């Protein structure tokens, strides 16, 4: 399993943004802990939200946060329309040449492609 840790200014505010877009908060450390982190999930796809301190994301790189990266999250084909509806500002659902339907959304300054499971019907 591969789970990305995304550098954010405030992992709890970032988690709130994901939850407002239909994701589930799986876990969060206490806000006063020395390891501020939250974990969000969408149909089994998890993303860890950490801090953007100099150690994890140098100040000079912050305006390029997430550049060149897109996270691919699969959801069951029969729920993609409902998942799309829960996101606040998603792109349109589009068929892809490799046999999935997907949409793109930006959350916490990172790009996500939410798609039907590989090989799912493209109705």
């Amino acid at each position: 399993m591969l789970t990305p840790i995304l550098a954010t200014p405030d992992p709890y505010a970032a988690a709130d943004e994901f939850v407002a877009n239909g994701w589930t908060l799986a876990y969060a450390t206490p806000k006063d802990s020395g390891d501020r982190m939250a974990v969000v999930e969408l149909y089994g796809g998890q993303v860890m939200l950490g801090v953007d301190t100099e150690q994890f994301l140098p100040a000079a790189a912050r305006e390029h946060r997430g550049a060149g990266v897109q996270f691919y999250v699969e959801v069951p084909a029969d729920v993609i329309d409902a998942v799309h509806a829960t996101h606040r500002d998603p792109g349109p659902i589009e068929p892809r040449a490799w046999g999935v339907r997907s949409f793109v959304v930006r959350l916490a300054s990172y790009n996500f492609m939410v798609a039907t499971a590989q090989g799912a019907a493209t109705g």
Side-chain angles (χ1 to χ4, degrees), residues 22-24 41-46 73-76 78-80 82-83 114:
W23 294 59
T24 302
E41 180 176 274
L42 184 67
Y43 286 89
Q46 288 191 339
V73 183
E74 287 187 349
V75 302
D78 61 342
V79 301
I80 193 161
V83 170
V114 180

Side-chain angles (χ1 to χ4, degrees), residues 6-60:
L6 307 182
T8 69
D10 180 344
Y12 308 106
D16 289 344
E17 179 182 352
F18 278 82
V19 169
N21 282 278
W23 294 59
T24 302
L25 178 66
Y27 177 78
T29 60
K31 291 184 179 184
D32 62 354
S33 78
D35 192 14
R36 297 171 10 116
M37 181 173 288
V39 179
V40 292
E41 180 176 274
L42 184 67
Y43 286 89
Q46 288 191 339
V47 175
M48 299 175 81
L49 304 165
V51 294
D52 66 357
T53 59
E54 195 69 21
Q55 174 186 3
F56 300 111
L57 186 65

Side-chain angles (χ1 to χ4, degrees), residues 72-73 80 84 91-96 98 100-104 113-116:
Y72 184 87
V73 183
I80 193 161
H84 182 263
I93 296 176
E94 299 176 331
R96 303 289 174 175
W98 61 91
V100 302
R101 295 173 60 228
S102 69
F103 65 91
V104 176
M113 177 182 285
V114 180
T116 57

